[in-house]
PDB file of all heavy atoms in Angstrom:
ATOM      1  N   LYS A   1      47.477  31.488  -8.794  1.00 82.00           N
ATOM      2  CA  LYS A   1      46.447  30.465  -8.961  1.00 82.00           C
ATOM      3  C   LYS A   1      46.747  29.234  -8.120  1.00 82.00           C
ATOM      4  O   LYS A   1      45.830  28.617  -7.565  1.00 82.00           O
ATOM      5  CB  LYS A   1      46.325  30.072 -10.433  1.00 82.00           C
ATOM      6  CG  LYS A   1      45.868  31.198 -11.347  1.00 82.00           C
ATOM      7  CD  LYS A   1      44.491  31.732 -10.984  1.00 82.00           C
ATOM      8  CE  LYS A   1      44.033  32.809 -11.960  1.00 82.00           C
ATOM      9  NZ  LYS A   1      42.733  33.390 -11.596  1.00 82.00           N
ATOM     10  N   LEU A   2      48.026  28.881  -7.994  1.00 85.00           N
ATOM     11  CA  LEU A   2      48.393  27.727  -7.179  1.00 85.00           C
ATOM     12  C   LEU A   2      48.077  27.991  -5.711  1.00 85.00           C
ATOM     13  O   LEU A   2      47.546  27.120  -5.008  1.00 85.00           O
ATOM     14  CB  LEU A   2      49.877  27.424  -7.362  1.00 85.00           C
ATOM     15  CG  LEU A   2      50.412  26.131  -6.736  1.00 85.00           C
ATOM     16  CD1 LEU A   2      49.632  24.927  -7.232  1.00 85.00           C
ATOM     17  CD2 LEU A   2      51.899  25.967  -7.035  1.00 85.00           C
ATOM     18  N   LYS A   3      48.361  29.199  -5.257  1.00 83.00           N
ATOM     19  CA  LYS A   3      48.051  29.565  -3.873  1.00 83.00           C
ATOM     20  C   LYS A   3      46.546  29.508  -3.631  1.00 83.00           C
ATOM     21  O   LYS A   3      46.083  28.967  -2.609  1.00 83.00           O
ATOM     22  CB  LYS A   3      48.585  30.966  -3.582  1.00 83.00           C
ATOM     23  CG  LYS A   3      48.344  31.429  -2.150  1.00 83.00           C
ATOM     24  CD  LYS A   3      48.948  32.812  -1.931  1.00 83.00           C
ATOM     25  CE  LYS A   3      48.704  33.296  -0.514  1.00 83.00           C
ATOM     26  NZ  LYS A   3      49.295  34.663  -0.294  1.00 83.00           N
ATOM     27  N   LEU A   4      45.759  30.028  -4.557  1.00 79.00           N
ATOM     28  CA  LEU A   4      44.303  29.997  -4.434  1.00 79.00           C
ATOM     29  C   LEU A   4      43.770  28.567  -4.475  1.00 79.00           C
ATOM     30  O   LEU A   4      42.878  28.196  -3.709  1.00 79.00           O
ATOM     31  CB  LEU A   4      43.663  30.822  -5.545  1.00 79.00           C
ATOM     32  CG  LEU A   4      43.775  32.344  -5.423  1.00 79.00           C
ATOM     33  CD1 LEU A   4      43.370  33.010  -6.732  1.00 79.00           C
ATOM     34  CD2 LEU A   4      42.910  32.856  -4.271  1.00 79.00           C
ATOM     35  N   ALA A   5      44.318  27.745  -5.383  1.00 75.00           N
ATOM     36  CA  ALA A   5      43.859  26.363  -5.507  1.00 75.00           C
ATOM     37  C   ALA A   5      44.126  25.575  -4.232  1.00 75.00           C
ATOM     38  O   ALA A   5      43.317  24.752  -3.806  1.00 75.00           O
ATOM     39  CB  ALA A   5      44.549  25.687  -6.693  1.00 75.00           C
ATOM     40  N   MET A   6      45.251  25.826  -3.589  1.00 79.00           N
ATOM     41  CA  MET A   6      45.589  25.112  -2.357  1.00 79.00           C
ATOM     42  C   MET A   6      44.682  25.519  -1.203  1.00 79.00           C
ATOM     43  O   MET A   6      44.410  24.725  -0.308  1.00 79.00           O
ATOM     44  CB  MET A   6      47.050  25.371  -1.993  1.00 79.00           C
ATOM     45  CG  MET A   6      48.038  24.620  -2.864  1.00 79.00           C
ATOM     46  SD  MET A   6      49.735  24.788  -2.264  1.00 79.00           S
ATOM     47  CE  MET A   6      50.614  23.718  -3.398  1.00 79.00           C
ATOM     48  N   SER A   7      44.214  26.762  -1.225  1.00 76.00           N
ATOM     49  CA  SER A   7      43.399  27.254  -0.122  1.00 76.00           C
ATOM     50  C   SER A   7      41.906  27.030  -0.331  1.00 76.00           C
ATOM     51  O   SER A   7      41.116  27.207   0.593  1.00 76.00           O
ATOM     52  CB  SER A   7      43.654  28.746   0.097  1.00 76.00           C
ATOM     53  OG  SER A   7      43.239  29.489  -1.042  1.00 76.00           O
ATOM     54  N   CYS A   8      41.520  26.631  -1.543  1.00 71.00           N
ATOM     55  CA  CYS A   8      40.105  26.492  -1.867  1.00 71.00           C
ATOM     56  C   CYS A   8      39.673  25.038  -1.725  1.00 71.00           C
ATOM     57  O   CYS A   8      40.292  24.142  -2.287  1.00 71.00           O
ATOM     58  CB  CYS A   8      39.849  26.984  -3.292  1.00 71.00           C
ATOM     59  SG  CYS A   8      38.104  26.994  -3.731  1.00 71.00           S
ATOM     60  N   GLY A   9      38.601  24.816  -0.997  1.00 64.00           N
ATOM     61  CA  GLY A   9      38.117  23.452  -0.810  1.00 64.00           C
ATOM     62  C   GLY A   9      37.021  23.041  -1.762  1.00 64.00           C
ATOM     63  O   GLY A   9      36.644  21.872  -1.829  1.00 64.00           O
ATOM     64  N   ASN A  10      36.498  23.989  -2.524  1.00 60.00           N
ATOM     65  CA  ASN A  10      35.376  23.706  -3.415  1.00 60.00           C
ATOM     66  C   ASN A  10      35.793  23.982  -4.856  1.00 60.00           C
ATOM     67  O   ASN A  10      36.020  25.131  -5.241  1.00 60.00           O
ATOM     68  CB  ASN A  10      34.180  24.597  -3.041  1.00 60.00           C
ATOM     69  CG  ASN A  10      32.938  24.257  -3.851  1.00 60.00           C
ATOM     70  OD1 ASN A  10      32.954  24.320  -5.072  1.00 60.00           O
ATOM     71  ND2 ASN A  10      31.866  23.921  -3.149  1.00 60.00           N
ATOM     72  N   ALA A  11      35.917  22.910  -5.667  1.00 57.00           N
ATOM     73  CA  ALA A  11      36.397  23.052  -7.040  1.00 57.00           C
ATOM     74  C   ALA A  11      35.457  23.910  -7.874  1.00 57.00           C
ATOM     75  O   ALA A  11      35.899  24.743  -8.668  1.00 57.00           O
ATOM     76  CB  ALA A  11      36.557  21.671  -7.679  1.00 57.00           C
ATOM     77  N   GLY A  12      34.156  23.711  -7.703  1.00 56.00           N
ATOM     78  CA  GLY A  12      33.195  24.491  -8.480  1.00 56.00           C
ATOM     79  C   GLY A  12      33.304  25.969  -8.188  1.00 56.00           C
ATOM     80  O   GLY A  12      33.274  26.806  -9.101  1.00 56.00           O
ATOM     81  N   GLU A  13      33.436  26.304  -6.924  1.00 60.00           N
ATOM     82  CA  GLU A  13      33.582  27.709  -6.530  1.00 60.00           C
ATOM     83  C   GLU A  13      34.858  28.300  -7.104  1.00 60.00           C
ATOM     84  O   GLU A  13      34.877  29.428  -7.591  1.00 60.00           O
ATOM     85  CB  GLU A  13      33.612  27.795  -5.003  1.00 60.00           C
ATOM     86  CG  GLU A  13      33.813  29.191  -4.458  1.00 60.00           C
ATOM     87  CD  GLU A  13      33.919  29.192  -2.935  1.00 60.00           C
ATOM     88  OE1 GLU A  13      33.373  28.262  -2.297  1.00 60.00           O
ATOM     89  OE2 GLU A  13      34.558  30.113  -2.413  1.00 60.00           O
ATOM     90  N   PHE A  14      35.950  27.513  -7.063  1.00 56.00           N
ATOM     91  CA  PHE A  14      37.224  27.987  -7.589  1.00 56.00           C
ATOM     92  C   PHE A  14      37.110  28.279  -9.084  1.00 56.00           C
ATOM     93  O   PHE A  14      37.575  29.315  -9.576  1.00 56.00           O
ATOM     94  CB  PHE A  14      38.308  26.935  -7.349  1.00 56.00           C
ATOM     95  CG  PHE A  14      39.653  27.320  -7.908  1.00 56.00           C
ATOM     96  CD1 PHE A  14      40.538  28.068  -7.166  1.00 56.00           C
ATOM     97  CD2 PHE A  14      40.021  26.937  -9.190  1.00 56.00           C
ATOM     98  CE1 PHE A  14      41.777  28.437  -7.683  1.00 56.00           C
ATOM     99  CE2 PHE A  14      41.246  27.294  -9.716  1.00 56.00           C
ATOM    100  CZ  PHE A  14      42.125  28.044  -8.954  1.00 56.00           C
ATOM    101  N   ILE A  15      36.489  27.366  -9.829  1.00 57.00           N
ATOM    102  CA  ILE A  15      36.356  27.527 -11.271  1.00 57.00           C
ATOM    103  C   ILE A  15      35.558  28.779 -11.606  1.00 57.00           C
ATOM    104  O   ILE A  15      35.917  29.550 -12.502  1.00 57.00           O
ATOM    105  CB  ILE A  15      35.699  26.276 -11.887  1.00 57.00           C
ATOM    106  CG1 ILE A  15      36.662  25.085 -11.782  1.00 57.00           C
ATOM    107  CG2 ILE A  15      35.306  26.516 -13.343  1.00 57.00           C
ATOM    108  CD1 ILE A  15      36.025  23.752 -12.095  1.00 57.00           C
ATOM    109  N   MET A  16      34.476  29.013 -10.879  1.00 57.00           N
ATOM    110  CA  MET A  16      33.629  30.166 -11.164  1.00 57.00           C
ATOM    111  C   MET A  16      34.334  31.486 -10.866  1.00 57.00           C
ATOM    112  O   MET A  16      34.167  32.475 -11.574  1.00 57.00           O
ATOM    113  CB  MET A  16      32.340  30.069 -10.341  1.00 57.00           C
ATOM    114  CG  MET A  16      31.412  28.941 -10.775  1.00 57.00           C
ATOM    115  SD  MET A  16      30.807  29.159 -12.466  1.00 57.00           S
ATOM    116  CE  MET A  16      29.800  30.631 -12.253  1.00 57.00           C
ATOM    117  N   GLU A  17      35.146  31.497  -9.818  1.00 59.00           N
ATOM    118  CA  GLU A  17      35.697  32.772  -9.346  1.00 59.00           C
ATOM    119  C   GLU A  17      37.119  33.060  -9.806  1.00 59.00           C
ATOM    120  O   GLU A  17      37.508  34.232  -9.907  1.00 59.00           O
ATOM    121  CB  GLU A  17      35.658  32.816  -7.811  1.00 59.00           C
ATOM    122  CG  GLU A  17      34.245  32.809  -7.246  1.00 59.00           C
ATOM    123  CD  GLU A  17      34.244  32.958  -5.733  1.00 59.00           C
ATOM    124  OE1 GLU A  17      35.333  33.181  -5.160  1.00 59.00           O
ATOM    125  OE2 GLU A  17      33.159  32.860  -5.129  1.00 59.00           O
ATOM    126  N   HIS A  18      37.907  31.983 -10.099  1.00 55.00           N
ATOM    127  CA  HIS A  18      39.336  32.227 -10.254  1.00 55.00           C
ATOM    128  C   HIS A  18      39.956  31.756 -11.565  1.00 55.00           C
ATOM    129  O   HIS A  18      41.128  32.038 -11.797  1.00 55.00           O
ATOM    130  CB  HIS A  18      40.107  31.550  -9.100  1.00 55.00           C
ATOM    131  CG  HIS A  18      39.691  32.031  -7.749  1.00 55.00           C
ATOM    132  ND1 HIS A  18      39.808  33.343  -7.352  1.00 55.00           N
ATOM    133  CD2 HIS A  18      39.138  31.362  -6.701  1.00 55.00           C
ATOM    134  CE1 HIS A  18      39.351  33.467  -6.110  1.00 55.00           C
ATOM    135  NE2 HIS A  18      38.940  32.293  -5.701  1.00 55.00           N
ATOM    136  N   VAL A  19      39.232  31.045 -12.414  1.00 56.00           N
ATOM    137  CA  VAL A  19      39.847  30.590 -13.662  1.00 56.00           C
ATOM    138  C   VAL A  19      40.041  31.768 -14.597  1.00 56.00           C
ATOM    139  O   VAL A  19      39.124  32.552 -14.823  1.00 56.00           O
ATOM    140  CB  VAL A  19      38.991  29.495 -14.336  1.00 56.00           C
ATOM    141  CG1 VAL A  19      39.512  29.207 -15.752  1.00 56.00           C
ATOM    142  CG2 VAL A  19      39.040  28.217 -13.512  1.00 56.00           C
ATOM    143  N   ASP A  20      41.242  31.886 -15.138  1.00 57.00           N
ATOM    144  CA  ASP A  20      41.601  32.979 -16.042  1.00 57.00           C
ATOM    145  C   ASP A  20      40.857  32.810 -17.363  1.00 57.00           C
ATOM    146  O   ASP A  20      40.975  31.802 -18.029  1.00 57.00           O
ATOM    147  CB  ASP A  20      43.128  32.924 -16.270  1.00 57.00           C
ATOM    148  CG  ASP A  20      43.634  34.141 -17.025  1.00 57.00           C
ATOM    149  OD1 ASP A  20      43.052  34.462 -18.070  1.00 57.00           O
ATOM    150  OD2 ASP A  20      44.609  34.739 -16.559  1.00 57.00           O
ATOM    151  N   GLU A  21      40.078  33.819 -17.747  1.00 50.00           N
ATOM    152  CA  GLU A  21      39.278  33.714 -18.961  1.00 50.00           C
ATOM    153  C   GLU A  21      40.137  33.691 -20.219  1.00 50.00           C
ATOM    154  O   GLU A  21      39.747  33.140 -21.244  1.00 50.00           O
ATOM    155  CB  GLU A  21      38.291  34.888 -19.037  1.00 50.00           C
ATOM    156  CG  GLU A  21      37.223  34.849 -17.952  1.00 50.00           C
ATOM    157  CD  GLU A  21      36.269  36.019 -18.056  1.00 50.00           C
ATOM    158  OE1 GLU A  21      36.444  36.833 -18.990  1.00 50.00           O
ATOM    159  OE2 GLU A  21      35.363  36.116 -17.227  1.00 50.00           O
ATOM    160  N   THR A  22      41.319  34.277 -20.168  1.00 52.00           N
ATOM    161  CA  THR A  22      42.169  34.324 -21.347  1.00 52.00           C
ATOM    162  C   THR A  22      42.753  32.961 -21.665  1.00 52.00           C
ATOM    163  O   THR A  22      42.769  32.517 -22.794  1.00 52.00           O
ATOM    164  CB  THR A  22      43.323  35.338 -21.130  1.00 52.00           C
ATOM    165  OG1 THR A  22      42.755  36.605 -20.858  1.00 52.00           O
ATOM    166  CG2 THR A  22      44.218  35.407 -22.354  1.00 52.00           C
ATOM    167  N   GLU A  23      43.242  32.266 -20.640  1.00 54.00           N
ATOM    168  CA  GLU A  23      44.013  31.055 -20.907  1.00 54.00           C
ATOM    169  C   GLU A  23      43.496  29.844 -20.156  1.00 54.00           C
ATOM    170  O   GLU A  23      43.993  28.740 -20.332  1.00 54.00           O
ATOM    171  CB  GLU A  23      45.481  31.321 -20.533  1.00 54.00           C
ATOM    172  CG  GLU A  23      46.444  30.337 -21.114  1.00 54.00           C
ATOM    173  CD  GLU A  23      47.879  30.782 -20.922  1.00 54.00           C
ATOM    174  OE1 GLU A  23      48.106  31.848 -20.343  1.00 54.00           O
ATOM    175  OE2 GLU A  23      48.772  30.051 -21.357  1.00 54.00           O
ATOM    176  N   GLY A  24      42.502  30.025 -19.291  1.00 53.00           N
ATOM    177  CA  GLY A  24      42.054  28.895 -18.499  1.00 53.00           C
ATOM    178  C   GLY A  24      43.001  28.578 -17.356  1.00 53.00           C
ATOM    179  O   GLY A  24      42.946  27.505 -16.770  1.00 53.00           O
ATOM    180  N   ALA A  25      43.926  29.513 -17.070  1.00 54.00           N
ATOM    181  CA  ALA A  25      44.904  29.277 -16.016  1.00 54.00           C
ATOM    182  C   ALA A  25      44.202  29.042 -14.694  1.00 54.00           C
ATOM    183  O   ALA A  25      43.313  29.764 -14.307  1.00 54.00           O
ATOM    184  CB  ALA A  25      45.853  30.472 -15.899  1.00 54.00           C
ATOM    185  N   GLY A  26      44.612  28.025 -13.979  1.00 64.00           N
ATOM    186  CA  GLY A  26      44.026  27.730 -12.680  1.00 64.00           C
ATOM    187  C   GLY A  26      43.226  26.451 -12.675  1.00 64.00           C
ATOM    188  O   GLY A  26      43.240  25.721 -11.698  1.00 64.00           O
ATOM    189  N   LEU A  27      42.521  26.154 -13.742  1.00 76.00           N
ATOM    190  CA  LEU A  27      41.688  24.957 -13.780  1.00 76.00           C
ATOM    191  C   LEU A  27      42.538  23.693 -13.685  1.00 76.00           C
ATOM    192  O   LEU A  27      42.236  22.782 -12.911  1.00 76.00           O
ATOM    193  CB  LEU A  27      40.860  24.936 -15.064  1.00 76.00           C
ATOM    194  CG  LEU A  27      39.890  23.758 -15.237  1.00 76.00           C
ATOM    195  CD1 LEU A  27      38.935  23.666 -14.056  1.00 76.00           C
ATOM    196  CD2 LEU A  27      39.116  23.898 -16.541  1.00 76.00           C
ATOM    197  N   GLY A  28      43.617  23.634 -14.467  1.00 82.00           N
ATOM    198  CA  GLY A  28      44.497  22.469 -14.409  1.00 82.00           C
ATOM    199  C   GLY A  28      45.168  22.329 -13.057  1.00 82.00           C
ATOM    200  O   GLY A  28      45.331  21.220 -12.540  1.00 82.00           O
ATOM    201  N   LEU A  29      45.553  23.471 -12.469  1.00 84.00           N
ATOM    202  CA  LEU A  29      46.170  23.430 -11.146  1.00 84.00           C
ATOM    203  C   LEU A  29      45.193  22.909 -10.105  1.00 84.00           C
ATOM    204  O   LEU A  29      45.551  22.109  -9.235  1.00 84.00           O
ATOM    205  CB  LEU A  29      46.661  24.826 -10.761  1.00 84.00           C
ATOM    206  CG  LEU A  29      47.814  25.391 -11.587  1.00 84.00           C
ATOM    207  CD1 LEU A  29      48.108  26.825 -11.170  1.00 84.00           C
ATOM    208  CD2 LEU A  29      49.061  24.532 -11.436  1.00 84.00           C
ATOM    209  N   MET A  30      43.942  23.366 -10.181  1.00 83.00           N
ATOM    210  CA  MET A  30      42.923  22.894  -9.254  1.00 83.00           C
ATOM    211  C   MET A  30      42.708  21.399  -9.416  1.00 83.00           C
ATOM    212  O   MET A  30      42.538  20.671  -8.432  1.00 83.00           O
ATOM    213  CB  MET A  30      41.613  23.644  -9.496  1.00 83.00           C
ATOM    214  CG  MET A  30      40.519  23.300  -8.495  1.00 83.00           C
ATOM    215  SD  MET A  30      40.949  23.824  -6.803  1.00 83.00           S
ATOM    216  CE  MET A  30      39.889  22.776  -5.824  1.00 83.00           C
ATOM    217  N   LEU A  31      42.737  20.916 -10.651  1.00 85.00           N
ATOM    218  CA  LEU A  31      42.581  19.489 -10.916  1.00 85.00           C
ATOM    219  C   LEU A  31      43.711  18.695 -10.261  1.00 85.00           C
ATOM    220  O   LEU A  31      43.475  17.652  -9.634  1.00 85.00           O
ATOM    221  CB  LEU A  31      42.569  19.243 -12.431  1.00 85.00           C
ATOM    222  CG  LEU A  31      42.402  17.802 -12.899  1.00 85.00           C
ATOM    223  CD1 LEU A  31      41.054  17.250 -12.479  1.00 85.00           C
ATOM    224  CD2 LEU A  31      42.553  17.726 -14.419  1.00 85.00           C
ATOM    225  N   CYS A  32      44.940  19.183 -10.400  1.00 90.00           N
ATOM    226  CA  CYS A  32      46.085  18.502  -9.789  1.00 90.00           C
ATOM    227  C   CYS A  32      45.979  18.487  -8.261  1.00 90.00           C
ATOM    228  O   CYS A  32      46.236  17.462  -7.621  1.00 90.00           O
ATOM    229  CB  CYS A  32      47.385  19.171 -10.224  1.00 90.00           C
ATOM    230  SG  CYS A  32      47.788  18.973 -11.976  1.00 90.00           S
ATOM    231  N   ILE A  33      45.614  19.630  -7.685  1.00 89.00           N
ATOM    232  CA  ILE A  33      45.487  19.716  -6.228  1.00 89.00           C
ATOM    233  C   ILE A  33      44.390  18.773  -5.724  1.00 89.00           C
ATOM    234  O   ILE A  33      44.568  18.056  -4.734  1.00 89.00           O
ATOM    235  CB  ILE A  33      45.168  21.170  -5.803  1.00 89.00           C
ATOM    236  CG1 ILE A  33      46.317  22.111  -6.173  1.00 89.00           C
ATOM    237  CG2 ILE A  33      44.870  21.234  -4.306  1.00 89.00           C
ATOM    238  CD1 ILE A  33      47.631  21.780  -5.548  1.00 89.00           C
ATOM    239  N   ALA A  34      43.249  18.759  -6.407  1.00 87.00           N
ATOM    240  CA  ALA A  34      42.144  17.891  -6.005  1.00 87.00           C
ATOM    241  C   ALA A  34      42.536  16.422  -6.102  1.00 87.00           C
ATOM    242  O   ALA A  34      42.185  15.608  -5.239  1.00 87.00           O
ATOM    243  CB  ALA A  34      40.919  18.166  -6.876  1.00 87.00           C
ATOM    244  N   ALA A  35      43.287  16.061  -7.158  1.00 90.00           N
ATOM    245  CA  ALA A  35      43.715  14.678  -7.329  1.00 90.00           C
ATOM    246  C   ALA A  35      44.670  14.263  -6.204  1.00 90.00           C
ATOM    247  O   ALA A  35      44.581  13.147  -5.676  1.00 90.00           O
ATOM    248  CB  ALA A  35      44.383  14.493  -8.690  1.00 90.00           C
ATOM    249  N   LEU A  36      45.590  15.145  -5.827  1.00 91.00           N
ATOM    250  CA  LEU A  36      46.500  14.838  -4.719  1.00 91.00           C
ATOM    251  C   LEU A  36      45.738  14.657  -3.408  1.00 91.00           C
ATOM    252  O   LEU A  36      46.004  13.722  -2.639  1.00 91.00           O
ATOM    253  CB  LEU A  36      47.549  15.937  -4.575  1.00 91.00           C
ATOM    254  CG  LEU A  36      48.627  15.990  -5.649  1.00 91.00           C
ATOM    255  CD1 LEU A  36      49.475  17.244  -5.478  1.00 91.00           C
ATOM    256  CD2 LEU A  36      49.504  14.749  -5.587  1.00 91.00           C
ATOM    257  N   LYS A  37      44.800  15.553  -3.155  1.00 88.00           N
ATOM    258  CA  LYS A  37      44.010  15.445  -1.932  1.00 88.00           C
ATOM    259  C   LYS A  37      43.213  14.143  -1.894  1.00 88.00           C
ATOM    260  O   LYS A  37      43.000  13.568  -0.825  1.00 88.00           O
ATOM    261  CB  LYS A  37      43.062  16.640  -1.804  1.00 88.00           C
ATOM    262  CG  LYS A  37      43.767  17.956  -1.479  1.00 88.00           C
ATOM    263  CD  LYS A  37      42.763  19.102  -1.363  1.00 88.00           C
ATOM    264  CE  LYS A  37      43.436  20.409  -0.979  1.00 88.00           C
ATOM    265  NZ  LYS A  37      42.469  21.538  -0.880  1.00 88.00           N
ATOM    266  N   SER A  38      42.783  13.657  -3.071  1.00 89.00           N
ATOM    267  CA  SER A  38      41.975  12.433  -3.125  1.00 89.00           C
ATOM    268  C   SER A  38      42.764  11.201  -2.687  1.00 89.00           C
ATOM    269  O   SER A  38      42.174  10.188  -2.316  1.00 89.00           O
ATOM    270  CB  SER A  38      41.425  12.223  -4.540  1.00 89.00           C
ATOM    271  OG  SER A  38      42.433  11.758  -5.427  1.00 89.00           O
ATOM    272  N   ILE A  39      44.103  11.269  -2.742  1.00 91.00           N
ATOM    273  CA  ILE A  39      44.930  10.142  -2.295  1.00 91.00           C
ATOM    274  C   ILE A  39      45.708  10.511  -1.032  1.00 91.00           C
ATOM    275  O   ILE A  39      46.720   9.896  -0.704  1.00 91.00           O
ATOM    276  CB  ILE A  39      45.879   9.667  -3.403  1.00 91.00           C
ATOM    277  CG1 ILE A  39      46.716  10.820  -3.973  1.00 91.00           C
ATOM    278  CG2 ILE A  39      45.107   8.965  -4.514  1.00 91.00           C
ATOM    279  CD1 ILE A  39      47.776  10.392  -4.982  1.00 91.00           C
TER     280      ILE A  39
END
């Protein structure tokens, strides 16, 4: 999920395609990556 989050430029697309339905894995990582990119 971290590898996918780093390579994905669109948060909405990432959430739709890659968030783990069991645990939500990936969403928090995408949030962290997006926040870092914002600064």
Side-chain angles (χ1 to χ4, degrees):
K1 296 299 183 183
L2 188 56
K3 181 178 179 180
L4 287 168
M6 285 187 176
S7 64
C8 185
N10 185 301
E13 178 183 334
F14 178 87
I15 292 168
M16 291 297 294
E17 295 184 6
H18 301 299
V19 170
D20 189 310
E21 293 180 1
T22 302
E23 197 170 0
L27 182 56
L29 293 175
M30 185 65 201
L31 180 64
C32 292
I33 297 300
L36 288 172
K37 289 180 177 179
S38 75
I39 53 174

